[in-house]
Amino acid sequence: MHQFISLADVTDLDALIQSGRDAKANPFADEHLGHHKTIGLLFFNSSLRTRLSTEKAARNLGMNVMTLNVGADSWGLEMEDGVFMNADKAEHVREAAAVMGRYCDILAVRAFAGLKDREADYKEQVMTQFARYAGVPIVNLESATRHPLQSLADCITIEEAKTTPKPKVVLTWLPHIKPLPQAVANSFCEWMNPRAAAGHIDFVVTHPKGYELAPEFVGDARVIYNQEEAFAGADFIYGKNWSSYSQYGQMLTDDPSWAVTMDKMQLTNNGKFMHCLPVRRNLKVSDAVLDSPQSLVIEQAANREWSAQAVLKSLLLELK
Amino acid sequence: MHQFISLADVTDLDALIQSGRDAKANPFADEHLGHHKTIGLLFFNSSLRTRLSTEKAARNLGMNVMTLNVGADSWGLEMEDGVFMNADKAEHVREAAAVMGRYCDILAVRAFAGLKDREADYKEQVMTQFARYAGVPIVNLESATRHPLQSLADCITIEEAKTTPKPKVVLTWLPHIKPLPQAVANSFCEWMNPRAAAGHIDFVVTHPKGYELAPEFVGDARVIYNQEEAFAGADFIYGKNWSSYSQYGQMLTDDPSWAVTMDKMQLTNNGKFMHCLPVRRNLKVSDAVLDSPQSLVIEQAANREWSAQAVLKSLLLELK
Amino acid sequence: MHQFISLADVTDLDALIQSGRDAKANPFADEHLGHHKTIGLLFFNSSLRTRLSTEKAARNLGMNVMTLNVGADSWGLEMEDGVFMNADKAEHVREAAAVMGRYCDILAVRAFAGLKDREADYKEQVMTQFARYAGVPIVNLESATRHPLQSLADCITIEEAKTTPKPKVVLTWLPHIKPLPQAVANSFCEWMNPRAAAGHIDFVVTHPKGYELAPEFVGDARVIYNQEEAFAGADFIYGKNWSSYSQYGQMLTDDPSWAVTMDKMQLTNNGKFMHCLPVRRNLKVSDAVLDSPQSLVIEQAANREWSAQAVLKSLLLELK
């Protein structure tokens, strides 16, 4: 693997999932791989799981880790080319990426969607510019439209927890108090669709009308607008809020009837509940569900460490 | 030791003090103990000594250290159970603690008193919730009502510097410009009272009327409202400001006559001056005292490293 | 070397430049030197290159690194002696420096000029106070009037890239949208002047009238007010904005004709362009120059790692 920006960078997903599970079983087996190698973690946005799990994974592999909070530790970066830089951004990504690429063997970047300008968000400018100018492999720590380290952890979690050969996996929209990016939902579709196509899972997406995901992400997934119908017989309920793609970045409803409760979980096949966290309790999903044995949210978050470790191992092997 | 939240977690205080002194004499003797172990340092509030000394102690023990500034690096955490989370907190401590407990072998947490609601502060919700949900040992880096790593460093400092078998130790209130928590004063009493009961020291507390500490902390300590009387013959003067417990969080006086000066130090038995730092010079204690050979404040702060190292060593030994 | 605050601390500059080039050729050759040694990085101001390159250099040498953002991670520090501390600063540098000097073997400090009070800035209070009270070697990560790690990287870069035995080096003022400190320009003069005196380079400074640097820094450098005349036959163009020293901290002009363009680079001897970064593209220097093979800015920034490593190695050797 030469970078990890989206699923397109993964040549063998089954092997990557297995690599994550191997790391979980034996975290320090590859500690020599990262000797004298440095990863830079660059945050344009807040993070808890991604920050800690990626740092931990890198150290499990024996790497040196350097973290920078852009805008707090340093300053804002200009992403557009050809700009006369007389506004608030003190440095251009061409310099920042190239310089950090000289200090680091791998650069990992988190930069959320602005949710103002769909075209700008969907062209993934930050990741694209870093990939163009850093001169070292880039890892996506959640970008405007994707969160692939989360999706890989989700794959690991489903593989570990499935009790049938071809589980039914349901991505459901949840209510929220403010508009959120589509990145996690997009990425989950991007990773589940080929697994559905390969016959590993049955994949369903459910949300209120108006919350249709971008066509390139939802792909051939079956979309059901009736949440209860979607939940019927599900083995995994994957909850997430996202804002509208068509009316970009808008919150069209906060309909509380879309929250996940034990009543709804009864419709499933003793289904497991997943969520990428952070989750606002009772607003999106009830305490009862989160505190039940059906909840996988902690194991899923724990698997972020092994997801990151599988990706970093793969990148380190290519660094020679 | 299975956690380090208060003195109640310490089974053998004399041994713990000795362990700190051993670490000071030979900082890297136990470097193997922390191999492949990670401590997470979680700050809800600012820190200088606690942050650096704990990080240093952990590295002396060979540990991996990951630090998170809650609210800056990540987001606010909801501490109350059963809440419909539609306000400013994006994540519940149940998830945050449990997830961090999966990435870390030990979690250390700093969270000051709010000083608005005495009952809330004194039930130690943050420490209690982390201890309940993290699934790994918790270390108190100063909580609403206690600062035990400071108190252990204070014990080490007194042991090192005492020149008589049973020194007189005086905790004195100092003036300040704004209300401060009672944590350091509470903790100092909590740790000194049993040492007084065991005959190791003579312990006196002095403060203006209205600044009485909580009964469960001040215990059987001798309280003298006349500061000069209290100072007479003292071997150690431990200065600290705190706000009122009875009129909770209020600043009842900023009477400058309570500041410590060389004149007052003359009343002591060539006593040593201690303070946990940071200290506002001349407001609380004069330059002359802080810059005199009687001041132990730098040595006391330096001992924070050995206090943390003794505690972490003890916890690592229990991790197997 | 016992500290690294200015060029005056360097006993053999040629050897230090060579040490940096040796580190670049073999980054881990001295990894044993920093074993069980800790450097504290203390930031009163934002940083990208300095933070990452110094951290990386320290780790190349096997050191432990602890970073503190003053005012964010901790609180403001009082620098004046004899103050009655009842204002916004919670701790005095006497305590903060002394305590950090107990946790760290070397302390590195970044603190920019305030640009309000020339005398205050030019007496270098922060560096001076840290050097006085820390009890361990201090490294200047850019102070009010100097940026010596940058200057050392600049020396390394010029040595690497020069194509004539005695290159012509031109420091040119560039336009900017707000007043900036004189530190980089001062330091560059401070380091270039003795190299000019020793016959290694020909050194010229060019800027609009009113931007004369402090006499103790500009020294005997040749000052030419006509930029095109200064550029004639130059081997290195070193661009930088700074505010006025005589009308202290003022921005007297933002004349765009002082920006560096390809037309101006034609006047040089196929000259190389250098800048310490961050650089505002097109405002200070055109995209065409920065993206041309004549630009050394990325290599120059990369050399910050080797500059820091040479300095830290020299300090570690003195630690015993």
Side-chain angles (χ1 to χ4, degrees), chain B residues 31-91:
Chain B
E31 198 173 2
H32 60 289
L33 279 182
H35 186 57
H36 286 169
K37 299 294 183 198
T38 295
I39 185 169
L41 306 183
L42 196 60
F43 291 95
F44 289 82
N45 299 97
S46 292
S47 172
L48 187 150
R49 271 154 290 276
T50 299
R51 176 187 288 260
L52 296 179
S53 64
T54 309
E55 179 171 347
K56 182 80 182 304
R59 294 206 194 276
N60 290 346
L61 289 162
M63 299 188 80
N64 177 26
V65 179
M66 304 200 296
T67 301
L68 193 79
N69 294 325
V70 181
D73 292 343
S74 66
W75 36 74
L77 296 184
E78 176 62 56
M79 294 292 163
E80 293 288 343
D81 287 327
V83 173
F84 186 85
M85 289 174 59
N86 62 351
D88 60 323
K89 307 292 176 51
E91 180 152 23

Side-chain angles (χ1 to χ4, degrees), chain B residues 13 15 28 76 101 163 177 224 251:
Chain B
L13 177 53
F28 303 108
T163 54
I177 55 163
I224 299 177
M251 201 175 97

Side-chain angles (χ1 to χ4, degrees), chain B residues 31 49 59 280-282 301, chain C residues 36 64 83 87 91 95 103:
Chain B
E31 198 173 2
R49 271 154 290 276
R59 294 206 194 276
R280 287 170 176 265
R281 283 176 165 251
N282 301 310
Chain C
H36 286 170
N64 177 26
V83 172
E91 179 151 25
E95 277 73 51
Y103 302 145

